[in-house]
Amino acid sequence: MTSPASGRPLRADALRNRAKVLAAAEEVFAVQGTSASTEEVARKAGVGIGTVFRHFPTKESLLEAVLVALLERLAGEAEELRSAADPGEAFFGFFSRVVSRAATKQAVTEALAEAGVDARAATGRAGPGLRAALGALLERAQEAGAVRADVGAAEVMALLAGMSYAAGRAGAREDVLRIAFDGLRPCPDRAAARG
Amino acid sequence: MTSPASGRPLRADALRNRAKVLAAAEEVFAVQGTSASTEEVARKAGVGIGTVFRHFPTKESLLEAVLVALLERLAGEAEELRSAADPGEAFFGFFSRVVSRAATKQAVTEALAEAGVDARAATGRAGPGLRAALGALLERAQEAGAVRADVGAAEVMALLAGMSYAAGRAGAREDVLRIAFDGLRPCPDRAAARG
Amino acid sequence: MTSPASGRPLRADALRNRAKVLAAAEEVFAVQGTSASTEEVARKAGVGIGTVFRHFPTKESLLEAVLVALLERLAGEAEELRSAADPGEAFFGFFSRVVSRAATKQAVTEALAEAGVDARAATGRAGPGLRAALGALLERAQEAGAVRADVGAAEVMALLAGMSYAAGRAGAREDVLRIAFDGLRPCPDRAAARG
Amino acid sequence: MTSPASGRPLRADALRNRAKVLAAAEEVFAVQGTSASTEEVARKAGVGIGTVFRHFPTKESLLEAVLVALLERLAGEAEELRSAADPGEAFFGFFSRVVSRAATKQAVTEALAEAGVDARAATGRAGPGLRAALGALLERAQEAGAVRADVGAAEVMALLAGMSYAAGRAGAREDVLRIAFDGLRPCPDRAAARG
DNA sequence: CATGAATGAGTGTTCATTCAT
DNA sequence: TATGAATGAACACTCATTCAT
């Protein structure tokens, strides 16, 4: 995701500018929400507004790029945990970390939500990356008996999005997460409890 | 919540218009999100823009009124279930119904999120109503052994907001809800599972 | 100026309302300027906005009525001074009093300005009243030798408007008035001074 | 006063537009009063409404800029008269010229009034410029014996504002000015006249 | 390529005026 | 007659997007 739609590679300084804009956008959207103005992003990035629009022809596309970058970063982190010693800890730890990050960055929640839906083309492209990496973490945790066997990656993604939202908006991070985690763990006499 | 801040009760026709505006706003915000324009609301309500602003002097106040109405309606429904035959079914059924409604109405999610935080004055007034009604449902379900004893109303509200968000954005309603519900149920050997 | 344009006389309560509105308008316009809203006037008068518009069909006409009332009151005061013992003191005292009143009530200045120009029909009707009364004061003062003989009522009205404006906006009441008054007094060797 | 608050100098075309807007605003405000709409100014200037707001972020700031420009121009003209041959003629001539200009441009009167009061920050900055220049003219005229010695620049400014108002609104330019000028001239037997 | 001035549709809000109650 | 709800044109201001420099 570091080259433009047209085939030609970017000049070094153009690439640097693109990165500056992306970083600025991420921070601005995190702090002020996605309704922050493009000018604000340009200001923070230290470039002209024209430069922002050269790299991202619409505000929509800039937002998308931010979300994609976030998803890719998350996917990368999940990837690294693939060979962790304790699969259960790897899975739940990753989940927790994502949620706590979302608590301060709205955009993370939005990214997760869209990744699950494939609503936008670009996030749709990045979503599967995270889903696959998360799926791998999930499988290993299930094999180790730390997570119940009857849930799939899609549900976990949705749950992740939901908990991220709750963490950012409705307070009560730890306690709510505990409920979700308990719901993800195996529980032999569950059938009985369900009545 | 059907009379204006000023005190004096509204004339019959004014009340009717107020209701029309509120209903239109609820639908418009549900479909287009809360950034929909006030003009759109007026159009949908079939009244002039001035009428909307007469009843709700700022867009903010209109949004608040919508959220409050939603919360009050939910609280009312919870209230009615207070004496249901099966406390577990009452609690989980209510939870499900709220979530499925949120799937089509973004505003419900937002209302729940704000109700948990007391961010805005008005929703702060309505939030406790829902929280109390939900708390009553929760207690009865806990007494009946359908819900684990160590969760409080606050966590359940947050969970409700999170699941509503997930339902509306990230798809996968039923399956995700199943996980949350299992997390809310008692499970004797949980300690063991947590390792 | 206490009956409507149509011939029929007003009912007692209607007349009372008209007076209340006029008094409220005078105060509101004095404090907030003539751009204050008609609603504000209605509120201050303790009547509905419809009542204001029944008595004064446009905001313009309400403003006019206020100005006319002010002019009439000033004319009345001038009238009373007609037989004062010291004609010079009567003239200059009246002038001073008008100016100091204008310092706190913008509307007075506006009334004076319009009275001089006959711009609006209604004030045009009231203007001559003041001009005549002021003219009488002026003549007596001239006869007594307190005011130079070569100025007319029109110039004095204009000077009055100007000094009222200066008093309300540009501070320095007394000192500026002193200059104007000296300009109005006879001065035998004026021709010499003018070079 | 030809560069924006931000510091960096404007591009040539931007400067041209800024000037066009300022000129248009001056004319529009002169003709329609300061309550004329910003759109009207844009239309007259032949630019988009956004351009007006880019140069003057609020209507208030646009109005201020107009007043400041007027004051600076007047100050400049006064400056040029500093070394005129006849100090009395310089002083009274300048006074007359200002007043006759105000007769057609309301904004001039407003600028003078505000310059005397230092109400707004920006006019406060330009006001002293005019006051100083006018003060110099005044002093020289006093030294030449053309103006009485016991008046200061502040009173003259206030008188100027008042006469400008009278000229614009209440008609009777020349005659009224004659009175004011006579009040400003020395008159040995004034004490007697005041009796 | 980078810049930032120009654009104008769109937004929330106000207010004089009308008219049903 | 009095009321105040309804109306909609008008306003100040914002912002994504374009394009001349």
Side-chain angles (χ1 to χ4, degrees):
Chain A
M1 274 309 128
T2 43
S3 48
S6 76
R8 204 181 321 216
L10 286 174
R11 267 169 30 185
D13 59 341
L15 236 160
R16 229 181 351 256
N17 267 343
R18 204 191 122 96
K20 276 199 295 185
V21 168
L22 209 48
E26 197 177 318
E27 185 169 346
V28 168
F29 289 151
V31 173
Q32 309 188 25
T34 60
S35 66
S37 80
T38 317
E39 286 256 12
E40 189 67 33
V41 172
R43 198 151 34 231
K44 188 121 207 163
V47 303
I49 218 213
T51 302
V52 175
F53 276 89
R54 162 165 293 273
H55 288 292
F56 308 96
T58 63
K59 189 190 177 180
E60 178 77 10
S61 71
L62 172 59
L63 185 52
E64 237 173 53
V66 168
L67 300 187
V68 166
L70 284 171
L71 291 175
E72 287 180 337
R73 213 174 310 152
L74 292 182
E77 292 178 26
E79 209 74 56
E80 282 178 16
L81 288 170
R82 221 166 182 159
S83 47
D86 183 336
E89 197 186 297
F91 175 80
F92 288 112
F94 176 72
F95 199 116
S96 288
R97 220 161 327 122
V98 171
V99 170
S100 76
R101 197 172 314 166
T104 56
K105 295 197 174 185
Q106 293 193 53
V108 171
T109 302
E110 211 170 314
L112 292 169
E114 304 219 331
V117 186
D118 289 13
R120 306 192 206 204
T123 42
R125 240 176 291 134
L130 175 58
R131 190 158 9 184
L134 184 63
L137 248 43
L138 174 62
E139 262 180 62
R140 283 196 64 221
Q142 287 172 321
E143 281 163 15
V147 172
R148 58 200 279 189
D150 62 344
V151 303
E155 289 116 281
V156 173
M157 286 278 286
L159 190 66
L160 189 55
M163 300 321 300
S164 293
Y165 182 79
R169 305 299 200 94
R173 181 137 60 268
E174 308 270 309
D175 298 331
V176 186
L177 218 47
R178 187 180 52 126
I179 301 174
F181 285 2
D182 284 343
L184 285 169
R185 290 207 181 82
C187 179
D189 47 335
R190 192 114 59 187
R194 279 192 211 145
Chain B
M1 275 309 127
T2 42
S3 49
S6 76
R8 206 183 300 258
L10 283 176
R11 265 163 31 184
D13 59 340
L15 235 158
R16 214 165 21 239
N17 265 340
R18 202 191 123 96
K20 275 201 295 185
V21 168
L22 210 47
E26 199 177 315
E27 184 168 347
V28 168
F29 289 151
V31 173
Q32 309 187 26
T34 60
S35 67
S37 82
T38 316
E39 286 249 16
E40 189 66 34
V41 171
R43 198 154 32 233
K44 188 118 205 163
V47 302
I49 185 71
T51 301
V52 175
F53 276 93
R54 159 168 282 268
H55 288 291
F56 307 96
T58 62
K59 188 192 176 180
E60 177 77 9
S61 72
L62 172 58
L63 185 51
E64 236 174 56
V66 168
L67 300 187
V68 167
L70 285 171
L71 290 176
E72 287 181 336
R73 214 175 308 152
L74 292 182
E77 292 178 25
E79 210 74 57
E80 283 178 16
L81 289 170
R82 221 166 180 159
S83 48
D86 183 336
E89 195 186 297
F91 174 80
F92 287 112
F94 176 72
F95 200 117
S96 289
R97 217 161 330 123
V98 171
V99 171
S100 76
R101 197 171 313 166
T104 56
K105 296 197 175 185
Q106 290 192 54
V108 171
T109 303
E110 208 168 316
L112 292 169
E114 302 218 334
V117 185
D118 288 11
R120 304 191 206 205
T123 42
R125 240 176 292 132
L130 175 58
R131 192 160 3 183
L134 184 64
L137 249 42
L138 174 64
E139 263 181 60
R140 282 196 65 221
Q142 287 173 321
E143 281 163 15
V147 171
R148 56 199 281 190
D150 63 343
V151 302
E155 289 117 280
V156 173
M157 285 280 286
L159 190 67
L160 189 56
M163 301 319 297
S164 293
Y165 181 79
R169 306 299 200 93
R173 182 138 58 268
E174 310 268 311
D175 297 332
V176 185
L177 219 46
R178 187 181 50 127
I179 301 174
F181 284 3
D182 284 343
L184 284 168
R185 290 206 181 82
C187 179
D189 49 346
R190 193 113 60 186
R194 275 188 216 147
Chain C
M1 273 309 128
T2 43
S3 49
S6 75
R8 204 184 318 221
L10 285 174
R11 269 168 28 186
D13 59 340
L15 237 160
R16 230 182 347 258
N17 268 342
R18 204 191 121 95
K20 277 199 295 184
V21 168
L22 208 48
E26 196 177 319
E27 185 170 347
V28 167
F29 290 151
V31 174
Q32 310 187 25
T34 60
S35 67
S37 79
T38 317
E39 286 257 11
E40 190 66 33
V41 172
R43 199 153 33 231
K44 188 119 206 164
V47 303
I49 216 212
T51 302
V52 175
F53 275 89
R54 163 165 292 274
H55 289 292
F56 308 95
T58 63
K59 189 192 176 180
E60 178 75 10
S61 72
L62 171 58
L63 185 52
E64 238 173 53
V66 168
L67 301 187
V68 167
L70 285 171
L71 290 175
E72 288 180 337
R73 212 175 309 153
L74 292 182
E77 293 178 25
E79 210 74 57
E80 283 179 15
L81 289 169
R82 224 165 180 160
S83 49
D86 182 337
E89 197 185 296
F91 174 80
F92 287 113
F94 177 72
F95 199 116
S96 288
R97 220 163 326 123
V98 171
V99 170
S100 77
R101 198 173 313 167
T104 56
K105 295 198 175 186
Q106 293 192 54
V108 171
T109 303
E110 210 169 316
L112 292 169
E114 304 219 333
V117 186
D118 288 13
R120 308 193 205 202
T123 41
R125 240 175 291 134
L130 175 58
R131 192 158 6 184
L134 184 63
L137 248 42
L138 174 64
E139 262 180 61
R140 284 197 63 222
Q142 287 173 322
E143 282 163 15
V147 171
R148 58 200 279 190
D150 62 344
V151 302
E155 288 116 279
V156 173
M157 285 277 288
L159 190 66
L160 189 55
M163 300 321 297
S164 293
Y165 181 80
R169 306 299 200 93
R173 182 138 58 267
E174 308 271 309
D175 297 331
V176 186
L177 218 46
R178 188 181 48 126
I179 300 173
F181 285 3
D182 283 343
L184 285 167
R185 290 205 180 82
C187 179
D189 46 334
R190 192 115 58 189
R194 277 191 212 143
Chain D
M1 273 308 130
T2 43
S3 49
S6 76
R8 206 184 300 259
L10 283 176
R11 266 163 30 185
D13 58 341
L15 235 157
R16 215 167 17 240
N17 265 340
R18 202 192 124 96
K20 275 200 295 185
V21 168
L22 210 47
E26 199 177 315
E27 185 169 347
V28 168
F29 289 151
V31 174
Q32 310 187 23
T34 60
S35 66
S37 81
T38 316
E39 286 249 15
E40 190 66 33
V41 172
R43 198 153 33 233
K44 188 118 205 163
V47 302
I49 183 72
T51 300
V52 176
F53 277 93
R54 160 168 282 268
H55 288 291
F56 307 95
T58 62
K59 188 192 175 179
E60 177 76 10
S61 72
L62 172 58
L63 185 52
E64 234 174 57
V66 167
L67 301 187
V68 167
L70 286 171
L71 291 176
E72 287 181 336
R73 213 174 308 153
L74 292 183
E77 292 178 25
E79 209 74 56
E80 282 178 16
L81 289 169
R82 223 167 179 156
S83 48
D86 183 336
E89 195 187 297
F91 174 80
F92 287 111
F94 176 72
F95 199 116
S96 288
R97 217 161 330 122
V98 171
V99 170
S100 77
R101 196 171 315 165
T104 56
K105 296 198 175 185
Q106 290 192 54
V108 171
T109 302
E110 209 168 316
L112 291 169
E114 301 219 334
V117 186
D118 286 11
R120 306 192 207 204
T123 41
R125 240 176 291 132
L130 175 57
R131 193 161 4 185
L134 184 63
L137 248 42
L138 174 64
E139 262 181 61
R140 284 196 66 222
Q142 287 173 320
E143 282 163 15
V147 171
R148 58 200 278 189
D150 63 344
V151 302
E155 288 117 280
V156 173
M157 284 280 286
L159 190 67
L160 188 55
M163 299 321 296
S164 294
Y165 181 80
R169 306 297 199 96
R173 182 137 58 268
E174 309 270 310
D175 298 331
V176 185
L177 219 46
R178 187 181 48 127
I179 301 174
F181 284 2
D182 283 343
L184 285 167
R185 288 205 182 83
C187 180
D189 49 347
R190 193 115 59 189
R194 276 188 216 146

